[in-house]
Amino acid sequence: MRVRKLTIAAMALAAGLSLTACQNDDDGTDRSAAPPAASTASTSTGGSEPTGSDQPGGTGSEGKTPNGTGGTGGTDEDGKTAKCRTDELEITATDATIGGDDRGTVAVDLKNGGGRDCSLAGYAGVDLKTNSGTLSAERTGESAPSVVLADGDTVTFGITYPINDSGGSGVRITGLVVTPPDETKSVTLDWPGGATLPVTDGSGTPVQVGPLGSAGQGG
């Protein structure tokens, strides 16, 4: 009887061990089929895109130009107001001759249309196109100030020229060429003044241009 009881107990123990081994094998198969939790978290973090101030153009860099001025412009590397460029200026010319004057006058307006403050200094270049070639205006020699133009502001200078009262056909003016100070790009306009200049041997009154801020006879 004792031998039988031991045999039964041994069989029960063996059956229990066999069942435990089967359960462990099943658990191992299930775990290997699922990806590790740590790996999943790493993939999610690595695949995310930067947002807000970490993103180019986001909160941290919004509204900034490469030089860090905030897009306002209008200054050069030295912090001074940048020079006006020809393409930023609206250039027009009108007849400003006063009746009874012995010289004609043309007023030239330079209007800042560049959307930023800009500066001008000195004399503009002025050439008259004629049927005898190009005639360059002489400077009056007056002091030439520096002018800062806000967007939409205008500065004017004057061109004076001899009136043709000789009775002859004279030299016909076909156009006006204006080059802003410190610029090489010119603008060609219709000439609004007298149609001709008197023919001279070079001893007559020259065509003259005044400095910025001048308009009227004598610059």
Side-chain angles (χ1 to χ4, degrees), residues 47-68:
S48 63
E49 295 295 331
T51 58
S53 60
D54 294 329
Q55 210 171 25
T59 304
S61 59
E62 185 175 1
K64 293 293 184 183
T65 57
N67 62 8

PDB file of all heavy atoms in Angstrom, residues 47-68:
ATOM      1  N   GLY A  47      10.644  59.755 -34.689  1.00  0.00           N
ATOM      2  CA  GLY A  47       9.932  60.125 -35.908  1.00  0.00           C
ATOM      3  C   GLY A  47       9.145  61.397 -35.805  1.00  0.00           C
ATOM      4  O   GLY A  47       8.503  61.805 -36.748  1.00  0.00           O
ATOM      5  N   SER A  48       9.133  62.065 -34.651  1.00  0.00           N
ATOM      6  CA  SER A  48       8.328  63.286 -34.493  1.00  0.00           C
ATOM      7  C   SER A  48       9.046  64.464 -35.117  1.00  0.00           C
ATOM      8  O   SER A  48      10.259  64.514 -35.197  1.00  0.00           O
ATOM      9  CB  SER A  48       8.064  63.557 -33.008  1.00  0.00           C
ATOM     10  OG  SER A  48       9.273  63.786 -32.343  1.00  0.00           O
ATOM     11  N   GLU A  49       8.295  65.498 -35.596  1.00  0.00           N
ATOM     12  CA  GLU A  49       8.847  66.697 -36.204  1.00  0.00           C
ATOM     13  C   GLU A  49       8.943  67.815 -35.184  1.00  0.00           C
ATOM     14  O   GLU A  49       8.112  67.912 -34.291  1.00  0.00           O
ATOM     15  CB  GLU A  49       7.953  67.158 -37.363  1.00  0.00           C
ATOM     16  CG  GLU A  49       7.910  66.176 -38.521  1.00  0.00           C
ATOM     17  CD  GLU A  49       9.258  66.044 -39.193  1.00  0.00           C
ATOM     18  OE1 GLU A  49      10.020  67.029 -39.166  1.00  0.00           O
ATOM     19  OE2 GLU A  49       9.561  64.977 -39.725  1.00  0.00           O
ATOM     20  N   PRO A  50       9.957  68.710 -35.291  1.00  0.00           N
ATOM     21  CA  PRO A  50      10.042  69.843 -34.359  1.00  0.00           C
ATOM     22  C   PRO A  50       8.888  70.803 -34.561  1.00  0.00           C
ATOM     23  O   PRO A  50       8.429  71.007 -35.681  1.00  0.00           O
ATOM     24  CB  PRO A  50      11.375  70.510 -34.741  1.00  0.00           C
ATOM     25  CG  PRO A  50      11.621  70.078 -36.153  1.00  0.00           C
ATOM     26  CD  PRO A  50      11.034  68.706 -36.260  1.00  0.00           C
ATOM     27  N   THR A  51       8.395  71.387 -33.515  1.00  0.00           N
ATOM     28  CA  THR A  51       7.281  72.328 -33.600  1.00  0.00           C
ATOM     29  C   THR A  51       7.633  73.587 -32.840  1.00  0.00           C
ATOM     30  O   THR A  51       8.604  73.647 -32.104  1.00  0.00           O
ATOM     31  CB  THR A  51       6.001  71.712 -32.985  1.00  0.00           C
ATOM     32  OG1 THR A  51       6.267  71.359 -31.635  1.00  0.00           O
ATOM     33  CG2 THR A  51       5.553  70.483 -33.760  1.00  0.00           C
ATOM     34  N   GLY A  52       6.811  74.621 -32.993  1.00  0.00           N
ATOM     35  CA  GLY A  52       6.981  75.859 -32.237  1.00  0.00           C
ATOM     36  C   GLY A  52       8.308  76.513 -32.531  1.00  0.00           C
ATOM     37  O   GLY A  52       8.744  76.647 -33.656  1.00  0.00           O
ATOM     38  N   SER A  53       9.034  76.918 -31.466  1.00  0.00           N
ATOM     39  CA  SER A  53      10.279  77.652 -31.624  1.00  0.00           C
ATOM     40  C   SER A  53      11.406  76.787 -32.159  1.00  0.00           C
ATOM     41  O   SER A  53      12.411  77.289 -32.619  1.00  0.00           O
ATOM     42  CB  SER A  53      10.715  78.257 -30.280  1.00  0.00           C
ATOM     43  OG  SER A  53      10.910  77.232 -29.332  1.00  0.00           O
ATOM     44  N   ASP A  54      11.259  75.435 -32.110  1.00  0.00           N
ATOM     45  CA  ASP A  54      12.293  74.550 -32.647  1.00  0.00           C
ATOM     46  C   ASP A  54      12.218  74.448 -34.157  1.00  0.00           C
ATOM     47  O   ASP A  54      13.120  73.966 -34.816  1.00  0.00           O
ATOM     48  CB  ASP A  54      12.157  73.134 -32.056  1.00  0.00           C
ATOM     49  CG  ASP A  54      12.434  73.135 -30.561  1.00  0.00           C
ATOM     50  OD1 ASP A  54      13.249  73.970 -30.115  1.00  0.00           O
ATOM     51  OD2 ASP A  54      11.832  72.308 -29.871  1.00  0.00           O
ATOM     52  N   GLN A  55      11.104  74.864 -34.735  1.00  0.00           N
ATOM     53  CA  GLN A  55      10.872  74.714 -36.154  1.00  0.00           C
ATOM     54  C   GLN A  55      11.328  75.956 -36.893  1.00  0.00           C
ATOM     55  O   GLN A  55      11.065  77.064 -36.453  1.00  0.00           O
ATOM     56  CB  GLN A  55       9.373  74.509 -36.396  1.00  0.00           C
ATOM     57  CG  GLN A  55       9.068  73.668 -37.621  1.00  0.00           C
ATOM     58  CD  GLN A  55       7.602  73.329 -37.665  1.00  0.00           C
ATOM     59  OE1 GLN A  55       6.799  74.049 -37.101  1.00  0.00           O
ATOM     60  NE2 GLN A  55       7.248  72.267 -38.321  1.00  0.00           N
ATOM     61  N   PRO A  56      12.046  75.828 -38.035  1.00  0.00           N
ATOM     62  CA  PRO A  56      12.420  77.023 -38.805  1.00  0.00           C
ATOM     63  C   PRO A  56      11.194  77.828 -39.175  1.00  0.00           C
ATOM     64  O   PRO A  56      10.237  77.303 -39.729  1.00  0.00           O
ATOM     65  CB  PRO A  56      13.095  76.418 -40.053  1.00  0.00           C
ATOM     66  CG  PRO A  56      13.555  75.063 -39.620  1.00  0.00           C
ATOM     67  CD  PRO A  56      12.544  74.595 -38.618  1.00  0.00           C
ATOM     68  N   GLY A  57      11.202  79.107 -38.837  1.00  0.00           N
ATOM     69  CA  GLY A  57      10.042  79.940 -39.127  1.00  0.00           C
ATOM     70  C   GLY A  57       8.981  79.847 -38.054  1.00  0.00           C
ATOM     71  O   GLY A  57       7.907  80.412 -38.194  1.00  0.00           O
ATOM     72  N   GLY A  58       9.240  79.105 -36.993  1.00  0.00           N
ATOM     73  CA  GLY A  58       8.260  78.968 -35.917  1.00  0.00           C
ATOM     74  C   GLY A  58       8.311  80.167 -34.991  1.00  0.00           C
ATOM     75  O   GLY A  58       8.832  81.225 -35.325  1.00  0.00           O
ATOM     76  N   THR A  59       7.783  79.992 -33.767  1.00  0.00           N
ATOM     77  CA  THR A  59       7.682  81.117 -32.845  1.00  0.00           C
ATOM     78  C   THR A  59       9.031  81.731 -32.546  1.00  0.00           C
ATOM     79  O   THR A  59       9.175  82.948 -32.469  1.00  0.00           O
ATOM     80  CB  THR A  59       7.040  80.635 -31.526  1.00  0.00           C
ATOM     81  OG1 THR A  59       5.788  80.025 -31.822  1.00  0.00           O
ATOM     82  CG2 THR A  59       6.835  81.797 -30.585  1.00  0.00           C
ATOM     83  N   GLY A  60      10.068  80.885 -32.427  1.00  0.00           N
ATOM     84  CA  GLY A  60      11.376  81.402 -32.068  1.00  0.00           C
ATOM     85  C   GLY A  60      12.025  82.233 -33.145  1.00  0.00           C
ATOM     86  O   GLY A  60      12.876  83.056 -32.884  1.00  0.00           O
ATOM     87  N   SER A  61      11.666  82.040 -34.450  1.00  0.00           N
ATOM     88  CA  SER A  61      12.316  82.769 -35.527  1.00  0.00           C
ATOM     89  C   SER A  61      11.339  83.567 -36.372  1.00  0.00           C
ATOM     90  O   SER A  61      11.692  84.080 -37.406  1.00  0.00           O
ATOM     91  CB  SER A  61      13.068  81.772 -36.425  1.00  0.00           C
ATOM     92  OG  SER A  61      12.167  80.817 -36.955  1.00  0.00           O
ATOM     93  N   GLU A  62      10.106  83.667 -35.961  1.00  0.00           N
ATOM     94  CA  GLU A  62       9.092  84.328 -36.764  1.00  0.00           C
ATOM     95  C   GLU A  62       9.408  85.801 -36.961  1.00  0.00           C
ATOM     96  O   GLU A  62       9.765  86.520 -36.047  1.00  0.00           O
ATOM     97  CB  GLU A  62       7.731  84.200 -36.075  1.00  0.00           C
ATOM     98  CG  GLU A  62       6.577  84.759 -36.908  1.00  0.00           C
ATOM     99  CD  GLU A  62       5.243  84.518 -36.248  1.00  0.00           C
ATOM    100  OE1 GLU A  62       5.241  83.932 -35.154  1.00  0.00           O
ATOM    101  OE2 GLU A  62       4.231  84.904 -36.814  1.00  0.00           O
ATOM    102  N   GLY A  63       9.275  86.259 -38.241  1.00  0.00           N
ATOM    103  CA  GLY A  63       9.430  87.668 -38.542  1.00  0.00           C
ATOM    104  C   GLY A  63      10.862  88.130 -38.626  1.00  0.00           C
ATOM    105  O   GLY A  63      11.118  89.318 -38.782  1.00  0.00           O
ATOM    106  N   LYS A  64      11.838  87.244 -38.538  1.00  0.00           N
ATOM    107  CA  LYS A  64      13.233  87.644 -38.562  1.00  0.00           C
ATOM    108  C   LYS A  64      13.826  87.437 -39.946  1.00  0.00           C
ATOM    109  O   LYS A  64      13.606  86.420 -40.582  1.00  0.00           O
ATOM    110  CB  LYS A  64      14.043  86.824 -37.551  1.00  0.00           C
ATOM    111  CG  LYS A  64      13.669  87.131 -36.094  1.00  0.00           C
ATOM    112  CD  LYS A  64      14.071  88.545 -35.704  1.00  0.00           C
ATOM    113  CE  LYS A  64      13.783  88.824 -34.234  1.00  0.00           C
ATOM    114  NZ  LYS A  64      14.094  90.198 -33.860  1.00  0.00           N
ATOM    115  N   THR A  65      14.552  88.420 -40.406  1.00  0.00           N
ATOM    116  CA  THR A  65      15.299  88.286 -41.630  1.00  0.00           C
ATOM    117  C   THR A  65      16.668  87.732 -41.293  1.00  0.00           C
ATOM    118  O   THR A  65      17.059  87.702 -40.138  1.00  0.00           O
ATOM    119  CB  THR A  65      15.443  89.662 -42.315  1.00  0.00           C
ATOM    120  OG1 THR A  65      16.077  90.558 -41.403  1.00  0.00           O
ATOM    121  CG2 THR A  65      14.085  90.211 -42.706  1.00  0.00           C
ATOM    122  N   PRO A  66      17.447  87.270 -42.307  1.00  0.00           N
ATOM    123  CA  PRO A  66      18.754  86.687 -41.998  1.00  0.00           C
ATOM    124  C   PRO A  66      19.683  87.595 -41.202  1.00  0.00           C
ATOM    125  O   PRO A  66      20.527  87.125 -40.465  1.00  0.00           O
ATOM    126  CB  PRO A  66      19.312  86.394 -43.398  1.00  0.00           C
ATOM    127  CG  PRO A  66      18.101  86.156 -44.237  1.00  0.00           C
ATOM    128  CD  PRO A  66      17.078  87.115 -43.699  1.00  0.00           C
ATOM    129  N   ASN A  67      19.549  88.912 -41.338  1.00  0.00           N
ATOM    130  CA  ASN A  67      20.441  89.791 -40.579  1.00  0.00           C
ATOM    131  C   ASN A  67      19.865  90.189 -39.227  1.00  0.00           C
ATOM    132  O   ASN A  67      20.434  91.014 -38.525  1.00  0.00           O
ATOM    133  CB  ASN A  67      20.783  91.055 -41.395  1.00  0.00           C
ATOM    134  CG  ASN A  67      19.554  91.892 -41.717  1.00  0.00           C
ATOM    135  OD1 ASN A  67      18.476  91.617 -41.223  1.00  0.00           O
ATOM    136  ND2 ASN A  67      19.738  92.899 -42.544  1.00  0.00           N
ATOM    137  N   GLY A  68      18.698  89.649 -38.889  1.00  0.00           N
ATOM    138  CA  GLY A  68      18.136  89.857 -37.561  1.00  0.00           C
ATOM    139  C   GLY A  68      17.503  91.216 -37.351  1.00  0.00           C
ATOM    140  O   GLY A  68      17.292  91.636 -36.232  1.00  0.00           O
TER     141      GLY A  68
END
